Amino acid sequence: MALLTILCYPDPKLHKVAKPVAVVDAVIQKLVSDMLETMYEAKGIGLAATQVDVHQRVIVIDTSEERNQPLVLINPEITWKSEGTHLNEEGCLSVPGIYDGVVRHDAVHVTALDETGKSRVIEAQEILAVCIQHEMDHLMGKVFVEYLSPLKRNRIKTKMLKMHREDAR
Ligand code: NI
């Protein structure tokens, strides 16, 4: 396994739209295990391939307290969304240190392939439902700060660029 570099907002590569995985082969399995290692190392609850500059529809998630229940979603598709929504405080490994409210569906049903290529249905609610919606946005090239007001987004952009400049010194 290997740690991957996570792209940071406002990197334009975060806005690329991911393509479906044609076949779940050893290359995808290696990507999945590297993404899991990267997510655990970064103490995140989810990571989309887009965030590690791989533009294929692959997501890894672990919302368990014990950090021992990895969930792999390849070519995920939402088949049902609850009418009910709620405002949830979100963060993102690509926007470190920023947390803000985003409205999400309370529950979603998703079909996806797992790391063995087997199709499965996930009925998600609460934090898992939020996480799936957040990660699926990444695959469409969307970062959660794009739901915020232009004013807030610009402030975040400025803050991130300043942070990167300081890192580069
Ligand atoms: Ni994110």
Side-chain angles (χ1 to χ4, degrees), residues 18-21 24 47-49 56-61 71-80 108-114 118-122 131-140:
K19 295 199 167 71
V21 170
V24 181
L47 186 68
Q56 300 203 62
R57 294 183 62 82
V58 178
I59 289 170
V60 297
I61 289 175
L71 178 65
V72 176
L73 302 177
I74 298 170
N75 297 345
E77 296 296 340
I78 290 182
T79 55
W80 177 84
V108 291
H109 293 179
V110 179
T111 60
L113 304 178
D114 69 11
K118 205 171 137 238
S119 178
R120 58 184 303 185
V121 177
I122 294 110
C131 190
I132 288 174
Q133 291 169 80
H134 175 116
E135 302 309 330
M136 285 185 68
D137 274 352
H138 275 303
L139 299 180
M140 295 306 294

Side-chain angles (χ1 to χ4, degrees), residues 84-102:
T85 58
H86 68 287
L87 186 69
N88 184 73
E89 180 102 332
E90 291 184 25
C92 179
L93 293 175
S94 292
V95 200
I98 303 291
Y99 300 88
D100 214 321
V102 178

